[in-house]
Amino acid sequence: MSSVHIQNITKSFGKVEVLKDVSLNIPDGEFVSLVGPSGCGKSTLLRIIAGLEQQSSGQIRIDDRVIDNVRPSERNISMVFQSYALYPHLSVFDNISVPLRMSRLNSIQRLPGLRHLLPGARAVEKGIRADVEQVASLLDMKQLLDRKPGELSGGQRQRVAVGRAIVREPHAFLLDEPLSNLDAKLRVHMRTEIAQLHRRLGATFIYVTHDQAEAMTMSDRIAVLMDGELVQVGSPDDVYNEPQDIRVAEFIGSPRINTFAGEIRSDGGVDLLGVPTGLVTDAEAGPAQVGLRPEALRLVPVGEGVFAGTVTHIENLGAELMVHFVNENMERPAIIRLDHIERHRLDVGESIEIDFLPGAVRLFGPDGARVPTEEFMEKQLVNA
Ligand SMILES: Nc1ncnc2c1ncn2[C@@H]1O[C@H](COP(=O)(O)OP(=O)(O)O)[C@@H](O)[C@H]1O
Ligand SMILES: [Mg+2]
């Protein structure tokens, strides 16, 4: 297995710059997700790594080897696509063995009639059978080897595509939205399977998805791509808790982070909807956006809240409750996440009061970049 180094990659299609100076070092054995909205350039970047697309500038290395002029088939990288791309007329066994036959047999030995007759080919076939069976048992699909893709469920087909990718023990796996054709329940199940497979193989995985929940649940690190730019790279906790850009804050996490109109006063104090938050900043005075995740908001008794609202909708998810509310200063409803113990208190139309811990506030400037803040009390103590 190998490390993958993406260095200053740009890509333009005609006049459209699709990737803008993307750099990312992926250590050996890491599971990294490239996540971002549709059209942000994820597949293009993956295809450049695989050699299916040529970058406009920049370099791709595997370990110490520059591979920009190496043909896709010689990069020793396996790719799993959303469409699986299985051969419909071949059995599962034959589908998985395709990459092994391509690399281990010469073109004469590969002729279907001959590979069982030529002695050299027979020995290679035996090795191929052993390797395919090992992968099949790893993926728990030995009983499927004689079937054709048409006789498999979506999840099973997906597993065959993964099997075909891992059978030749590549330097790295590239997966482009491999779960997006599956139904919701199976998708959640396959997340676990892929994460477990990664642990068992200890291989380098580069996983592309537009689904932030997939990225959050499977990855060692998440690389957030927006409009062709790598906006933030970090652990799932990092991108969730410390987003460095409001686009990252809004993309990661479901339900979405609440954003409120804020203000940095000339004395450095930070207001939310005209109310002091208890935070100060060194940033320039002016308008700002205050981000608070749904679980950062708390319901408090009347008279104790920082601001008030009216309940517009309640989503009951069983174990938790998403309460939507508005007030006259808010442009769109905000969401507060409550655990089920609190549910009996609320009805649509009811007035509520909301509080939060200053430490939960994520402040963003007018350009969307994160603005560092400090709690007012602490600052006073430091200065005293
Ligand atoms: N072969 C191509 N020719 C022209 N434009 C392309 C081509 N491939 C991708 N694009 C454009 O590049 C942008 C990024 O595409 P893509 O990498 O597929 O995004 P993602 O996988 O994040 O959805 C899109 O605007 C897309 O239309
Ligand atoms: Mg794509």
Side-chain angles (χ1 to χ4, degrees), residues 235-345:
S235 68
D237 280 345
D238 216 30
V239 292
Y240 186 83
N241 291 317
E242 302 298 340
Q244 295 305 308
D245 188 290
I246 193 147
R247 291 172 295 171
V248 175
E250 290 183 337
F251 191 77
I252 302 286
S254 177
R256 207 167 92 136
I257 194 170
N258 300 302
T259 52
F260 302 97
E263 173 88 23
I264 301 171
R265 301 190 313 256
S266 51
D267 65 1
V270 177
D271 289 353
L272 176 163
L273 302 174
V275 182
T277 56
L279 293 172
V280 289
T281 177
D282 294 333
E284 211 178 308
Q289 297 198 71
V290 175
L292 279 162
R293 296 228 176 253
E295 65 273 20
L297 297 178
R298 298 181 311 189
L299 206 59
V300 291
V302 174
E304 294 176 21
V306 176
F307 57 95
T310 305
V311 176
T312 57
H313 179 61
I314 299 173
E315 278 177 87
N316 185 351
L317 300 177
E320 56 190 11
L321 218 52
M322 303 298 168
V323 178
H324 300 229
F325 67 93
V326 287
N327 79 21
E328 67 278 7
N329 297 319
M330 287 163 48
E331 280 169 25
R332 55 163 184 256
I335 297 178
I336 174 168
R337 186 199 304 254
L338 302 179
D339 78 43
H340 70 282
I341 297 164
E342 295 167 283
R343 77 175 52 184
H344 62 276
R345 292 199 212 156

Side-chain angles (χ1 to χ4, degrees), residues 13 16 18 36-45 53 176-177 208 225:
F13 290 110
V16 185
V18 170
S38 177
C40 70
K42 305 180 294 293
S43 295
T44 304
L45 183 56
E53 195 83 69
D176 193 352
E177 314 235 7
V208 159
L225 199 61

